[in-house]
DNA sequence: AGTAAAAATGTTAGCGCAACCATTTTGCTA
DNA sequence: TAGCAAAATGGTTGCGCTAACATTTTTACT
């Protein structure tokens, strides 16, 4: 036999009907142990592998979960992905992953492509999808989770935390520690980074409103559209130092890559951390806790977010629940030596 | 209309036959501009999205590329993935990604699952697949690339470099710099790590054979099955220092995570790098170049490997070539301050 | 043993699309 | 304008599987 064996071949060899073979594969408990054994032997003998396309077509269940992240290179989404994969494991689900490179338009195209797989659900990052993308998803009628940040108008389900609040909290932390000339170092400037910056600005504004003149805070904001990296952190530190004429006494980096870069660069500039310069980051990467001094950062349960996204998706797909309020997973300030 | 629109619905609205609509989607150049326009309008109006399962079943082309990596958390495979995604982009191909957690058995199961998607090709990491997995792949008759390391008996195609040679070269580098009490810090101990260790042992053996007694090299090997992390690097450094009673003057870490951890720990132990202790790593992560001192490491073209894997796969799938000798992409020693 | 219920198995039909081959239309040359 | 090749389009069929219903066999209990 040259062509690949199909259900019928297995059925003939096992001496049962095709549907019985099908059942062995999908509802093994609905088949008598005796037949099941015969079928399993036949499958093994022929090296039969089910044709997923045919199965999906006949059952109109694809067994596919679509995931779109903004970047493969940002480790942050790696953690989320791991959560997703770990949650998916017990189920017969394949993950199809797309990278939209932080572009809503690319994301829109990806959504259109991925929808052709008729996925059981879709996990998106962030909340700034295009109108057309939202329409596509509405029509598709599949459960959707928007992950990482919170929104008032979710497409469907929503799990995340407030990057605005986190940015504000970190800035308050710096203010509370006595820093008054605080730089904000931002790269990429995707929506979540912008929210962190907004939180920073808000915290500074509130502070300056409440404090008498001599204690007021001078912010220095340096941002770039470049994607963030450790190296860039050093460059941005130099930039903010230039802009503040060396007055800057703390920097709030929009993520830990920049913060690490700033820390390494500070050393080379002979700035003592935190005596001359405090450094705060975001995302709480492993390295941040282990460098000396440790970098103060914002931690969030990324792995758990990924897991929970899958759980909610499947609950909704199974029709177990349908009232899903946005889930705020919160964040925490990991205060360390750098501030 | 409640159900999702299908080809026929589009065809009726556009006033053409179903097959013409199909052609607009797959061979747009085979359709007159006039019909194409009508069809495109109808598609937009109905929000039609092609059913991938039906398409795959009818055409027996899945448009899927399967990829199995040993770990999502290891950034190294991230780079490879990025290469794969970048190479896949111009084609109508979806990537289905599996994580086998460094387990050949899990990999075997994953292969069986992924084969049911009838992928156009499969990219595997490493070369230690189970016999049954190899048989499955032989039967499947799809192009396969084994990535990252080289082997004499590839399943099909093979792209990578010699981790043995790289381990040996790095050890030679340390010996040439005058270090004689060299520790090898290994975590996870997957096949590639073992090859690096074998290269290390070989280099030491060769050295000791050629050198007179007083110049001979004393190796200290400390390994663990735990998965590697920055933190673990520090712990392993302490372990090797204990084992060598503080005599160790250089450590070759099986990857840069460990090396960074070793560097951070060395600082806390008041060891000057490289005066008291040299540190070498593997993989050349971004941070390794930017810490102070920079960590000497082994660089390899991971992104390019991913890209090339896709290219070869597609060439073979299109039948353009079939004689694929293993591709050695090589490596290079990035000598930095740490050694 | 007899009966009803439950479990196991089979039959039929169709999921949505594209390959194949047949037919119609178009564009071009003499 | 006829005639022909090439381009465009359509009809039929089947890809491999499973849902829904139909039938048979087994089980449990009187």
């Amino acid at each position: 036999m040259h062509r690949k064996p199909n259900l019928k071949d297995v059925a003939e060899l096992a001496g049962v009907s095709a549907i019985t073979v099908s059942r062995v594969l999908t509802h093994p408990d609905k088949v008598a142990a005796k037949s099941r054994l015969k079928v399993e032997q036949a499958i093994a003998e022929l090296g039969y592998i089910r044709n997923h396309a045919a199965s999906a077509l006949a059952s109109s269940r694809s067994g596919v979960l679509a995931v779109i992240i903004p970047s493969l290179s940002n480790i942050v989404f790696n953690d989320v992905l791991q959560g997703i994969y770990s949650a998916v494991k017990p189920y017969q689900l394949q993950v199809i992953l797309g990278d939209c490179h932080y572009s809503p338009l690319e994301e829109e195209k990806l959504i259109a492509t991925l929808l052709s797989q008729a996925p059981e659900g879709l996990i998106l990052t962030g909340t700034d999808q295009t109108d057309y993308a939202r329409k596509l998803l509405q029509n598709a009628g599949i459960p959707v989770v928007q992950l990482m940040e919170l929104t008032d108008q979710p497409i469907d389900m929503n799990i995340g935390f407030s990057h605005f609040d986190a940015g504000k909290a970190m800035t308050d932390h710096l203010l509370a520690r006595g820093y008054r000339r605080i730089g904000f170092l931002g790269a990429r400037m995707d929506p979540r980074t912008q929210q962190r910056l907004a939180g920073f600005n808000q915290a500074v504004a509130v502070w300056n409103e409440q404090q008498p003149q001599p204690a007021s805070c001078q912010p220095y904001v340096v941002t770039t559209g470049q994607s963030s990296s450790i190296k860039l952190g050093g460059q941005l530190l130099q930039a903010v130092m230039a802009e503040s004429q060396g007055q800057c006494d703390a920097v709030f980096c929009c993520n830990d890559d920049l913060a690490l870069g700033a820390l390494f660069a500070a050393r080379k500039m002979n700035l003592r951390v935190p005596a001359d310069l405090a450094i705060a980051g975001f995302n709480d990467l492993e390295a941040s806790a282990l460098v000396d001094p440790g970098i103060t950062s914002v931690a969030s349960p990324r792995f758990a977010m990924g897991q929970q996204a899958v759980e909610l998706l499947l609950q909704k797909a199974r029709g177990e629940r349908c009232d899903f309020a946005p889930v705020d997973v919160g964040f925490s300030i990991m205060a360390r030596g750098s501030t």
Side-chain angles (χ1 to χ4, degrees), chain A:
Chain A
M1 166 141 38
H2 282 82
R3 71 188 204 333
K4 283 203 204 144
N6 60 21
L7 259 196
K8 222 168 130 191
D9 301 323
V10 177
E12 277 169 18
L13 182 58
V16 298
S17 73
I19 188 70
T20 300
V21 179
S22 169
R23 273 194 277 254
V24 168
L25 294 171
T26 32
H27 314 286
D29 49 316
K30 304 240 171 199
V31 176
K34 217 172 61 179
S35 329
R36 191 164 60 228
L37 210 71
K38 283 191 296 181
V39 169
E40 277 162 356
Q41 281 172 356
I43 287 176
E45 192 175 329
L46 293 177
Y48 169 74
I49 289 185
R50 169 161 52 175
N51 182 322
H52 171 266
S55 166
L57 179 59
S59 67
S60 52
R61 306 198 337 96
S62 65
V64 158
L65 172 66
V67 178
I68 299 178
I69 58 174
S71 163
L72 269 171
S73 47
N74 192 333
I75 327 177
V76 162
F77 302 113
N78 231 284
D79 295 336
V80 177
L81 264 187
Q82 285 179 59
I84 291 173
Y85 271 86
S86 86
V88 146
K89 208 162 183 200
Y91 307 99
Q92 280 213 299
L93 268 183
Q94 292 306 308
V95 175
I96 302 203
L97 176 66
D99 174 356
C100 70
H101 302 96
Y102 286 100
S103 151
L105 273 176
E106 260 197 69
E107 187 182 38
E108 177 186 296
K109 278 186 210 155
L110 259 175
I111 290 173
T113 310
L114 294 182
L115 281 183
S116 77
Q117 305 267 353
E120 317 279 338
L122 176 60
I123 297 178
L124 297 171
T125 309
T127 59
D128 66 329
Q129 283 71 36
T130 66
D131 287 343
Y132 183 63
R134 297 177 83 97
K135 198 185 128 196
L136 277 179
L137 293 174
Q138 239 105 55
N139 289 346
I142 57 169
V144 174
V145 174
Q146 289 167 296
L147 212 59
M148 303 302 277
E149 57 181 296
L150 296 173
T151 175
D152 290 337
Q153 281 109 36
I155 295 175
D156 185 8
M157 292 175 285
N158 186 203
I159 304 175
F161 65 96
S162 167
H163 292 251
F164 178 91
D165 289 352
K168 190 160 175 300
M170 180 59 91
T171 312
D172 286 338
H173 165 89
L174 291 171
L175 288 166
R177 293 283 165 114
Y179 301 103
R180 292 291 178 275
R181 304 180 155 276
I182 310 178
F184 181 94
L185 305 188
R188 174 72 71 184
M189 299 318 287
D190 62 278
R192 288 167 295 290
T193 303
Q194 288 174 22
Q195 288 159 28
R196 291 169 203 169
L197 172 54
F200 168 82
N201 284 329
Q202 167 90 352
V204 171
V206 167
W207 176 269
N208 283 342
E209 217 165 83
Q210 293 175 346
Q211 299 295 320
Q213 193 62 27
S216 74
C217 172
Q218 170 67 46
Y220 306 96
V221 175
V222 179
T223 67
T224 165
Q226 288 176 60
S227 61
S228 73
S229 65
I230 302 178
K231 191 171 181 185
L232 186 59
Q235 294 169 354
L236 291 179
L237 178 62
Q238 292 192 323
V240 79
M241 280 306 177
E243 191 184 311
S244 67
Q245 293 164 331
Q247 295 300 302
C248 193
D249 61 1
V251 286
F252 175 14
C253 303
C254 76
N255 65 45
D256 277 7
D257 290 303
L258 295 186
L260 286 168
L263 176 64
F264 299 154
R267 278 205 199 116
K268 288 175 189 165
M269 293 157 76
N270 283 318
L271 291 170
R272 291 164 302 159
V273 177
D276 301 328
L277 179 77
I279 297 179
F282 208 107
N283 288 333
D284 194 32
L285 302 188
E286 196 204 357
S288 304
L290 297 170
V291 289
D292 186 34
I295 293 176
T296 297
S297 193
V298 176
S300 63
R302 292 190 289 273
F303 187 91
M305 272 193 271
Q307 282 190 312
Q308 205 177 351
V310 174
E311 295 303 346
L312 292 196
L313 227 41
L314 292 181
Q315 280 179 27
K316 185 143 187 178
R318 287 192 297 251
E320 284 171 19
R321 290 175 56 192
C322 45
D323 57 321
F324 290 93
V327 178
D328 186 347
V329 298
F331 60 85
S332 47
I333 305 282
M334 311 298 287
R336 302 206 175 90
S338 71
T339 57

